[in-house]
Amino acid sequence: MAPVATEHERGDALAEDKRNAPRNGDASHTSNEDDEEDEEEPRLKYTSLTKNLTPVYRNGDETSTFLVGGDKLVNGTHNGNIHVLSIPSLQSLRVYHAHSASITAVSISPFPPPLPVAKPDGTNRLAAPSSDSPSRSLAPSNSSPQTSKNARQASIPVIPSNAIYIATASIDGNVCVASLIDPKDVILRNFGRPVQAVALSPEYKSDKSYVSGGMAGKLILTVGGRAGTSSTSNAGGGAAATASGWLGTIGLASSNGRDEVLHSGEGAIQTIKWSLSGKYVAWVNEQGIKIMRSNIRPESTETDSSWKVFGHMDHPNRPNWDEVAGICKPRIEWVDEAGLESDDDIYETPRSLDADDRSRGTEVSNHDQDLKIPASAKREKLVVGWGGTIWIMNVSSGGPHGRQSGERKAGRVDVVTILRTDCIISGVSLYTPNLLLVLAYLIPSENSNPSTNASNTTPKRGRNRRDNAVQPEMRIIDVNTKEEVCVADTLNVSRYERLSAMDYYLEVLPVIKASSKAMMQRGTLEVIGDGLWDATMYPTRLFSSAASVRSNGSNSETAPSVKAPSGAMSESSMAATKANQPNFTAMRRQGMKIFIQSPYDCVLATKPTISDHFNWLDGNHMYADAWELLNKHPEAASGLPENPPERAPDTPTKGQKSLVAQSSLADFLADNDSQSTSSTSRNPNSQAEKEKRRLGEEWVRQLVDDKKWLEAGEVCGRVLGTSSSWDNWIWVFINANKYDEITPYIPTAQQRPPLQSLVFEMVLGHYISQDRVRLKELIERWPPELYDVGSIITALRGKLKAGDIREATTRDGESGKDWRILKECLAKLHLYNGEAQDALRCYIQLQDAEAAMALISEYRLVDAVSDDIPGLVLLRVSKEQQQTCSLSELEELTAEPIQLLVEEAHHGIVRPETVIQQLQARTDMRPYLYFYFRTLWEGETLSTPNRVPNGIPKLDPLDHLVATEGQALVSDFADTAIPLFAEYDRPLLIIFLKSSQSYTIETAAAICEEKNYIPELVYLLSKEGRTKRALFLIIDKLQDVSQAISFAKEQDDDDLWNDLLDYSMNKPRFIRGLLEEIGTSINPITLVRRIPEGLEIEGLRQALIRMIKEYELQDSISEGVARVLRGEVSMAMSRLRTGQKKGIKFDIESATLSRPPSRQETKNTQIRIEPSRVSVKPGQCTGCGTSFVESEKQALIAFHCGHIYHLGCLLTYENGDDDVEDIQVMRLLKEMADSNSENGGRITYGQGVGEKIKRALRIQNRVRDGCPHSVHKTEA
């Protein structure tokens, strides 16, 4: 046997004053109107189930033992009755009388029962006994007549979740094992002494074994037994064997099964629990806690470990233990670590963490790491509460770690934590891996006030009278810190004054992850009901509705009526279930279910939902937290389960409208993490929004009452959602003069209905007089539709006219800051009001160039400021900059408005004379007038700049046209522009003087002479014809021989050359320059001869050599040019001669196509050809356009250009009737025609030589100028 474990000492006792802390005001809690202001929210939600268990307490019966598992709740009473109820509906499945005295323990096999899953082969199969068979009383004959009365109960469907066995123990010495499905499958065994505990084997269906113990102090293993029989234990001695004789009188066989004493000799056994895996059995006797290995699923190395004890912990070591041991019933709980709640989730939400992310069952405390449990060991967790001590242990298979070599232990027990409390443990279990649930029974103090209720003074059977007990508490303790995580909840149960710690029970339904296969598996039962629970709870409805399998296809009128058994759910019970809807809702909540049972009450504790949390916050006036919660979880306002029930089948059953019928086992048992549903989630947003608005206003009101105006304003921006609420609270802030606190949060989006415009006008009016910076921000941020713009404009103008804010007014060390802000606001408001010109005037006064130029460009408003051109030009130039900036900087600052004026000058909107007149009127505007002239001359505008980014001038014809037009405009004011160019841009002056002809030469010359601009003056003198003076200026002033020579070359005047030579003869430098650069302009011999003898000229030799070389070069160039010219002329003449020698090919039409004109036709025809109307084609006469034929009668005259004429057509080409030669031509043609007729159609020119010469001269005179065709005249 393992050594006794040593308890961990606790530093200090749990704070006892927590017991009297304020409690939740639920129906299952005490209500105290004097609760402290800082009430702590309970960690559990309590719901009373007493009204749902009315049949249990019928006829004054009381609960003596209690058990929940899977979908079943089993309640044993002091009258020996067993009530089996379904979960979550709490409808009675079966009630039977098993004992003649109080039931002390109950056990179920298998535990926990399997979840109900529909199977096609068993959907319509019922238990063997019919619904009319009475339930049998299993208790001895001395049971009460009422309880032994035959009762008609509903048959229970044969499904896996119902295929369980229920074992009960009683102080009458009997253990009863009964099947839930088959009332005949029951075994009753008498042990001769009161039995305090019983535990069915998890495999009872196959091995028919269970363990029991009681006052005899023996742990007895019972195996076997025949159904429907009663027997006497053979392990209890003669008295026990004798006690079994009475069963023979009722026909039940005896001596069935065998008993084996597993352990004895350590006092009465009070509790026995089989582990969830079935491998271990834990029990408690007077000496302590025992753990042994069972015979179920032994490993290959554990063949000899069956029923061996390997763990022992002594009973609590506390003062007066012997006195309180009688009322300290030990509580044992094998914990399903996979079914614990998560440490991270305080409240139940529609969707929690994924199963893979949760740490349930993986870490109970850091102490586990120190235990060094082998990875191969399969650990089970055991929690034991006894007296005021709690043990948390890990039980696992044994290993080769014995004291002696080769020894192997049956198992291993590792104590994780030992807690010592100031109460008696009435129930204990794990809530999360690190939180412990403790049902605490407080030991009454001596000065407790006894109960004065005389009606409750009669002691109950089997219990001593107690009138000074206090209410039990539910505590949640952190396993690691050993401290309570919250204030203990005091439970309000009936007649608690007379109850002891043994009267309370704590049972837990763990969070069971229903597999997706089980969730989705559906069969015939779901078609005719609303899921498997519908068939389990209301089997009679399967055969009483139109959806029954037996009555498939029949309607409700013709279907046979089947009378429901007495146990079936009636319409009244359905109505009662609807009345208890809150209880039923609590039963269907997700997560762990904690049942607290007393003799007169049953309380269900669950994790609070988001709705519970929300209601608690709202009820405790924590509106901020409530609003935040509702904002994150809108479903919290619905007050209904977050996951709605699954959709009802298409063919509803008769009782399908009941609330109970809409439940499902998956909704009750499945964890949020594993639950999957295809139904559409409830949408509570409309209700949530209403609640948010209500909470928001309460929140704001709470802050306003506390004078937290700044926070209240911020909250208004978050929570207020209607225009009426905004109007109300804005006026509250305005009346309290708290503009700054509410203004940033006033909604600017259009509301329906919209907010009052007066609200915005009041705020803006306040800031006009108090805070101009905030005013500017609001006007920029608020849409103008929210307020009356005209009213604000009037207020601003009034403020500016009042005189207290001027341009020179200083604020925060800045001059004119408020004035500028007011002007900017006024400009924006003018724009909002469609008054662009007024806005432009404001921007010009502010010298806000960007805004003004953008406004001018967008609205074309240059004409609006044509009366203030200087103001427009100086938009970006301050007075200080006018004095300090350079010309280039001023040009850059004024470039945009100048270009705009130039552009408008081209458009004719603002004429140049308007600009020039206004700029000339001010003496300080001369630079800007120059900028205007130069920009206008160069054609630079905003839309057509004269340069591309790389600096290369644009060659766009449009730009050239604009520049040309600009130059013409400047020329109109040439006398005004010349002084400006002379002052600011001399290079442009000479360009302008050479390009323009509109200026007065005398005026320009005077200006140039005044400024000593010699090149410009020389140009003007030469333009006047005063070349000699101009030349002497170049020589005297500039002393530039090169320029003088160039000037003389330009003028090409011999007198000017003589003047230049005369002036240069006494200047060696000039003589050398003439020799080097004069070239061929004058005869170099003349120049050399005029050089005075004896004059020393530096570099004369080099100058002469250069001159000679230049002449040689010129001669060589001339000779080369002559050679090239001769070659080109020769080639051209050769091409001409070759072309003249070439023949001309053309086609002659056949004689049949045309005939020569007759004599009469020739005589009467006046040949007048319009050359421009005849198109020349090969083979046709250029004069008449007729094609030539083979038998042509007239002579043909051809020219080298390719044109061919009839002789008659050539002679008459372009001659009028009044021409002198026309008569001779006609006479010649007549003679030729006559000769033609006389010679048989052949053309002859007379017989004599003189006649031929005469005719030839006439033809020569006609064609001496070549081809008369008009094309040649055009080319000439």
Side-chain angles (χ1 to χ4, degrees):
M1 181 176 296
V4 177
T6 304
E7 296 187 2
H8 296 173
E9 293 297 329
R10 183 178 180 183
D12 55 347
L14 296 175
E16 192 169 352
D17 55 349
K18 293 183 179 180
R19 294 177 297 161
N20 299 322
R23 301 291 183 246
N24 188 340
D26 191 83
S28 300
H29 291 70
T30 57
S31 177
N32 186 1
E33 297 180 356
D34 298 331
D35 287 344
E36 298 178 4
E37 294 182 0
D38 297 334
E39 182 180 356
E40 184 177 352
E41 183 177 5
R43 292 287 295 267
L44 296 174
K45 174 69 175 179
Y46 298 90
T47 304
S48 176
L49 303 179
T50 304
K51 294 182 179 179
N52 301 79
L53 302 179
T54 303
V56 177
Y57 308 113
R58 188 174 297 154
N59 300 324
D61 205 354
E62 304 169 5
T63 299
S64 61
T65 189
F66 180 74
L67 179 66
V68 292
D71 60 337
K72 302 297 187 293
L73 183 151
V74 182
N75 207 321
T77 68
H78 284 290
N79 289 339
N81 297 321
I82 301 297
H83 297 263
V84 183
L85 296 89
S86 65
I87 297 175
S89 64
L90 296 182
Q91 296 299 315
S92 178
L93 295 177
R94 185 179 177 192
V95 180
Y96 59 93
H97 186 70
H99 301 277
S100 60
S102 297
I103 298 176
T104 56
V106 63
S107 178
I108 295 176
S109 178
F111 185 86
L115 300 180
V117 178
K119 293 184 179 180
D121 59 348
T123 53
N124 297 323
R125 182 162 49 90
L126 298 179
S130 65
S131 59
D132 296 334
S133 60
S135 64
R136 184 183 302 273
S137 175
L138 304 178
S141 58
N142 59 354
S143 61
S144 63
Q146 183 176 358
T147 57
S148 62
K149 186 186 301 181
N150 291 341
R152 300 168 61 88
Q153 300 190 32
S155 298
I156 301 175
V158 180
I159 57 177
S161 62
N162 291 337
I164 64 174
Y165 289 87
I166 303 172
T168 55
S170 174
I171 61 176
D172 63 2
N174 292 323
V175 172
C176 177
V177 182
S179 171
L180 177 62
I181 296 175
D182 187 1
K184 293 183 178 180
D185 188 0
V186 58
I187 297 175
L188 189 65
R189 194 170 190 84
N190 183 268
F191 289 89
R193 294 286 300 274
V195 181
Q196 299 292 334
V198 65
L200 284 177
S201 168
E203 299 178 357
Y204 178 82
K205 185 176 181 180
S206 58
D207 61 18
K208 297 297 182 180
S209 63
Y210 60 88
V211 179
S212 61
M215 301 305 294
K218 298 178 181 180
L219 182 67
I220 301 175
L221 172 65
T222 302
V223 181
R226 192 172 60 211
T229 63
S230 177
S231 61
T232 301
S233 171
N234 52 22
T242 305
S244 63
W246 64 273
L247 291 174
T249 60
I250 59 174
L252 295 178
S254 60
S255 301
N256 289 300
R258 60 181 179 83
D259 298 320
E260 178 183 354
V261 177
L262 301 177
H263 188 273
S264 62
E266 293 187 0
I269 297 174
Q270 304 181 52
T271 305
I272 305 174
K273 277 290 181 73
W274 218 298
S275 70
L276 299 178
S277 66
K279 297 174 65 175
Y280 312 107
V281 177
W283 78 96
V284 180
N285 55 31
E286 294 179 1
Q287 298 299 319
I289 305 168
K290 303 287 185 177
I291 303 175
M292 69 165 46
R293 181 66 169 91
S294 70
N295 63 345
I296 295 178
R297 291 189 290 274
E299 298 180 4
S300 59
T301 59
E302 296 177 338
T303 54
D304 58 345
S305 299
S306 298
W307 308 118
K308 287 187 176 181
V309 178
F310 61 86
H312 170 78
M313 276 66 65
D314 287 339
H315 63 74
N317 185 15
R318 59 175 295 173
N320 303 323
W321 170 250
D322 295 335
E323 298 179 4
V324 300
I327 61 172
C328 296
K329 183 176 181 179
R331 314 289 177 158
I332 296 179
E333 184 75 18
W334 290 94
V335 178
D336 180 7
E337 295 184 79
L340 300 178
E341 293 285 359
S342 171
D343 286 315
D344 300 328
D345 301 333
I346 299 178
Y347 305 103
E348 183 178 328
T349 58
R351 185 74 179 172
S352 301
L353 298 173
D354 293 337
D356 295 339
D357 297 334
R358 308 183 98 181
S359 58
R360 290 184 302 197
T362 58
E363 294 183 4
V364 176
S365 69
N366 294 333
H367 184 64
D368 287 344
Q369 301 177 3
D370 301 332
L371 298 177
K372 298 181 180 180
I373 300 175
S376 59
K378 296 181 180 178
R379 185 188 66 183
E380 292 194 67
K381 188 170 291 294
L382 176 66
V383 179
V384 179
W386 192 9
T389 305
I390 301 172
W391 293 265
I392 300 178
M393 296 171 280
N394 289 330
V395 182
S396 58
S397 299
H401 303 291
R403 295 190 185 96
Q404 299 178 2
S405 177
E407 180 182 356
R408 181 178 181 84
K409 298 195 301 184
R412 173 173 179 166
V413 179
D414 298 298
V415 178
V416 177
T417 302
I418 298 178
L419 299 176
R420 301 181 64 182
T421 66
D422 58 348
C423 62
I424 298 177
I425 308 300
S426 294
V428 66
S429 182
L430 278 178
Y431 182 53
T432 71
N434 295 311
L435 294 181
L436 195 65
L437 288 172
V438 177
L439 180 59
Y441 178 84
L442 305 179
I443 301 176
S445 59
E446 297 180 358
N447 56 356
S448 298
N449 295 327
S451 174
T452 58
N453 190 350
S455 60
N456 295 330
T457 57
T458 304
K460 296 297 180 180
R461 180 181 55 201
R463 297 195 310 274
N464 296 328
R465 174 178 175 179
R466 295 180 187 86
D467 292 335
N468 59 349
V470 298
Q471 294 168 299
E473 291 183 349
M474 176 62 72
R475 299 180 180 179
I476 301 178
I477 302 174
D478 191 305
V479 175
N480 298 319
T481 63
K482 301 182 181 180
E483 297 289 338
E484 295 185 32
V485 298
C486 60
V487 176
D489 298 324
T490 302
L491 304 178
N492 186 18
V493 297
S494 300
R495 289 171 273 187
Y496 64 87
E497 301 90 349
R498 303 181 180 181
L499 301 180
S500 67
M502 301 175 62
D503 294 324
Y504 296 101
Y505 291 87
L506 175 68
E507 292 290 334
V508 173
L509 275 183
V511 178
I512 300 178
K513 292 178 177 289
S515 65
S516 58
K517 181 178 179 181
M519 290 287 294
M520 300 304 296
Q521 190 172 4
R522 298 177 183 275
T524 307
L525 290 177
E526 188 166 0
V527 176
I528 59 178
D530 190 29
L532 298 168
W533 270 116
D534 202 24
T536 306
M537 295 183 294
Y538 320 114
T540 57
R541 287 163 49 184
L542 296 176
F543 308 105
S544 62
S545 67
S548 172
V549 176
R550 293 184 180 181
S551 58
N552 188 17
S554 62
N555 54 35
S556 59
E557 295 180 359
T558 60
S561 175
V562 179
K563 182 177 180 181
S566 60
M569 186 176 183
S570 63
E571 294 295 335
S572 60
S573 62
M574 292 182 183
T577 303
K578 289 184 178 181
N580 295 327
Q581 180 177 352
N583 299 348
F584 179 74
T585 302
M587 291 289 289
R588 290 193 59 223
R589 285 181 177 173
Q590 309 296 335
M592 181 179 289
K593 309 295 183 300
I594 305 164
F595 294 85
I596 302 101
Q597 182 73 45
S598 76
Y600 312 104
D601 293 286
C602 183
V603 177
L604 173 66
T606 56
K607 177 192 292 186
T609 63
I610 293 295
S611 297
D612 297 329
H613 182 44
F614 168 74
N615 293 331
W616 186 88
L617 293 174
D618 187 14
N620 286 273
H621 309 293
M622 302 171 69
Y623 302 117
D625 295 338
W627 192 93
E628 295 290 354
L629 176 66
L630 201 57
N631 187 51
K632 185 177 181 181
H633 298 284
E635 67 275 7
S638 63
L640 298 175
E642 286 74 15
N643 295 329
E646 295 182 357
R647 180 179 61 84
D650 295 335
T651 305
T653 59
K654 180 178 179 181
Q656 201 167 12
K657 294 182 180 180
S658 66
L659 182 63
V660 178
Q662 295 179 4
S663 64
S664 67
L665 182 61
D667 290 337
F668 178 68
L669 294 177
D671 186 15
N672 290 331
D673 301 341
S674 60
Q675 189 171 4
S676 175
T677 178
S678 59
S679 60
T680 304
S681 299
R682 185 187 303 273
N683 182 12
N685 288 336
S686 60
Q687 181 180 356
E689 290 302 320
K690 293 178 182 178
E691 282 296 312
K692 284 175 66 177
R693 288 193 290 269
R694 178 187 67 82
L695 290 172
E697 298 221 21
E698 293 292 343
W699 187 4
V700 175
R701 184 175 292 107
Q702 192 177 64
L703 294 173
V704 169
D705 292 341
D706 295 339
K707 305 301 180 183
K708 298 179 181 179
W709 293 99
L710 184 61
E711 186 178 356
E714 181 180 357
V715 171
C716 285
R718 296 186 60 195
V719 304
L720 299 184
T722 62
S723 55
S724 59
S725 59
W726 269 112
D727 282 334
N728 175 48
W729 285 108
I730 290 174
W731 282 111
V732 170
F733 279 79
I734 290 176
N735 293 333
N737 197 27
K738 300 295 180 181
Y739 290 90
D740 294 342
E741 288 76 4
I742 191 62
T743 299
Y745 308 103
I746 297 177
T748 57
Q750 283 290 349
Q751 304 286 319
R752 293 187 180 181
L755 294 178
Q756 301 178 21
S757 62
L758 182 60
V759 169
F760 298 95
E761 294 163 15
M762 287 289 293
V763 174
L764 292 175
H766 168 78
Y767 287 116
I768 287 175
S769 59
Q770 299 297 328
D771 190 346
R772 263 69 64 178
V773 176
R774 179 66 65 87
L775 172 68
K776 180 181 178 181
E777 294 175 358
L778 294 179
I779 289 179
E780 291 177 349
R781 186 165 60 91
W782 284 357
E785 297 83 8
L786 298 176
Y787 51 89
D788 184 5
V789 177
S791 301
I792 307 303
I793 291 176
T794 302
L796 281 173
R797 286 177 175 173
K799 187 66 176 177
L800 289 171
K801 290 179 180 179
D804 55 339
I805 297 179
R806 297 184 179 88
E807 189 173 359
T809 304
T810 302
R811 177 174 177 267
D812 297 336
E814 183 177 349
S815 179
K817 181 177 180 180
D818 286 346
W819 179 85
R820 292 183 61 83
I821 292 176
L822 290 180
K823 277 291 184 181
E824 290 176 3
C825 295
L826 187 59
K828 290 184 181 296
L829 292 173
H830 280 308
L831 284 178
Y832 292 158
N833 217 27
E835 301 166 354
Q837 293 185 2
D838 294 335
L840 179 59
R841 293 189 183 94
C842 292
Y843 285 128
I844 291 177
Q845 293 175 3
L846 291 168
Q847 291 188 315
D848 190 346
E850 284 75 14
M853 297 306 299
L855 202 61
I856 290 172
S857 300
E858 182 177 359
Y859 294 96
R860 310 295 299 179
L861 295 177
V862 178
D863 57 336
V865 292
S866 59
D867 56 343
D868 187 16
I869 298 300
L872 177 62
V873 172
L874 297 176
L875 275 175
R876 287 192 175 93
V877 185
S878 64
K879 293 181 180 179
E880 182 181 356
Q881 288 175 324
Q882 293 182 44
Q883 302 296 329
T884 59
C885 288
S886 63
L887 189 66
S888 60
E889 292 174 341
L890 292 175
E891 181 182 9
E892 183 179 357
L893 292 172
T894 58
E896 188 175 3
I898 292 294
Q899 291 177 2
L900 178 63
L901 290 173
V902 170
E903 183 174 353
E904 298 303 330
H906 287 291
H907 294 161
I909 297 176
V910 181
R911 298 298 302 168
E913 51 266 23
T914 303
V915 178
I916 295 170
Q917 181 181 0
Q918 294 188 34
L919 295 180
Q920 275 185 319
R922 293 176 54 176
T923 58
D924 60 336
M925 298 301 293
R926 283 181 59 82
Y928 311 106
L929 183 57
Y930 154 69
F931 297 151
Y932 178 73
F933 274 128
R934 198 191 71 171
T935 306
L936 191 62
W937 175 266
E938 295 178 351
E940 294 185 22
T941 64
L942 291 176
S943 57
T944 57
N946 68 335
R947 290 185 178 273
V948 293
N950 59 6
I952 302 176
K954 296 181 67 175
L955 302 178
D956 191 348
L958 179 60
D959 296 343
H960 180 70
L961 181 61
V962 171
T964 303
E965 183 182 356
Q967 293 171 7
L969 293 174
V970 175
S971 296
D972 294 340
F973 304 92
D975 291 338
T976 305
I978 286 176
L980 296 172
F981 292 159
E983 182 178 358
Y984 298 108
D985 196 343
R986 185 177 176 183
L988 181 59
L989 174 63
I990 189 63
I991 296 174
F992 179 74
L993 292 176
K994 292 180 179 180
S995 301
S996 177
Q997 304 296 329
S998 302
Y999 56 89
T1000 304
I1001 297 178
E1002 293 78 5
T1003 304
I1007 293 173
C1008 292
E1009 188 172 3
E1010 179 185 355
K1011 292 186 175 293
N1012 199 25
Y1013 289 170
I1014 302 303
E1016 292 83 358
L1017 185 57
V1018 168
Y1019 171 76
L1020 292 174
L1021 292 175
S1022 65
K1023 193 173 184 179
E1024 284 183 299
R1026 300 160 64 183
T1027 56
K1028 187 173 183 178
R1029 184 187 175 193
L1031 180 61
F1032 281 109
L1033 285 175
I1034 295 173
I1035 296 173
D1036 292 338
K1037 298 293 183 182
L1038 299 179
Q1039 296 183 356
D1040 188 346
V1041 63
S1042 298
Q1043 186 175 353
I1045 294 172
S1046 299
F1047 181 74
K1049 289 180 180 179
E1050 290 177 2
Q1051 301 301 322
D1052 195 17
D1053 186 359
D1054 293 339
D1055 294 337
L1056 194 61
W1057 277 111
N1058 290 329
D1059 292 337
L1060 177 59
L1061 292 176
D1062 293 340
Y1063 181 83
S1064 303
M1065 287 303 101
N1066 60 349
K1067 296 180 175 59
R1069 187 170 64 86
F1070 271 75
I1071 294 174
R1072 180 183 175 183
L1074 287 172
L1075 293 173
E1076 291 178 349
E1077 299 183 16
I1078 196 169
T1080 59
S1081 299
I1082 60 173
N1083 191 350
I1085 297 176
T1086 304
L1087 174 60
V1088 173
R1089 286 177 179 177
R1090 295 186 65 171
I1091 299 174
E1093 294 183 4
L1095 182 66
E1096 184 178 354
I1097 301 173
E1098 183 179 356
L1100 177 61
R1101 182 178 180 179
Q1102 289 80 4
L1104 290 173
I1105 293 173
R1106 179 176 178 181
M1107 182 182 66
I1108 294 171
K1109 287 183 177 180
E1110 186 174 352
Y1111 265 91
E1112 291 178 353
L1113 179 62
Q1114 290 293 336
D1115 182 66
S1116 176
I1117 291 173
S1118 299
E1119 184 179 356
V1121 170
R1123 286 197 300 268
V1124 171
L1125 181 60
R1126 285 194 299 268
E1128 289 182 354
V1129 170
S1130 176
M1131 292 175 61
M1133 292 300 295
S1134 178
R1135 286 197 300 270
L1136 176 62
R1137 288 191 296 268
T1138 301
Q1140 290 175 347
K1141 293 178 182 180
K1142 286 183 179 180
I1144 301 174
K1145 179 183 179 181
F1146 57 87
D1147 296 331
I1148 303 298
E1149 294 182 357
S1150 176
T1152 60
L1153 298 177
S1154 64
R1155 61 177 179 84
S1158 63
R1159 179 180 299 179
Q1160 184 66 30
E1161 291 173 347
T1162 305
K1163 185 185 294 183
N1164 298 331
T1165 300
Q1166 299 292 333
I1167 302 175
R1168 293 290 184 265
I1169 304 299
E1170 295 292 340
S1172 61
R1173 298 182 182 179
V1174 178
S1175 58
V1176 181
K1177 296 181 180 181
Q1180 292 183 354
C1181 176
T1182 305
C1184 64
T1186 59
S1187 301
F1188 301 124
V1189 296
E1190 295 178 356
S1191 58
E1192 193 67 55
K1193 300 302 182 181
Q1194 296 190 46
L1196 301 178
I1197 305 299
F1199 295 90
H1200 292 291
C1201 61
H1203 295 145
I1204 306 174
Y1205 298 86
H1206 291 107
L1207 178 59
C1209 295
L1210 178 63
L1211 295 176
T1212 59
Y1213 195 84
E1214 292 185 341
N1215 287 333
D1217 294 340
D1218 55 349
D1219 194 343
V1220 178
E1221 295 184 359
D1222 187 54
I1223 300 174
Q1224 298 178 358
V1225 171
M1226 296 305 296
R1227 187 181 301 150
L1228 177 61
L1229 291 176
K1230 183 177 180 299
E1231 293 175 356
M1232 293 174 63
D1234 293 342
S1235 176
N1236 184 27
S1237 62
E1238 292 174 357
N1239 292 280
R1242 295 180 61 191
I1243 300 177
T1244 62
Y1245 299 98
Q1247 302 296 329
V1249 176
E1251 190 69 25
K1252 292 180 180 181
I1253 294 173
K1254 182 180 178 179
R1255 292 178 180 175
L1257 289 174
R1258 291 178 181 175
I1259 295 174
Q1260 181 182 3
N1261 293 333
R1262 188 61 180 165
V1263 299
R1264 63 178 179 268
D1265 294 329
C1267 180
H1269 196 274
S1270 59
V1271 68
H1272 302 298
K1273 296 180 180 180
T1274 304
E1275 292 176 355

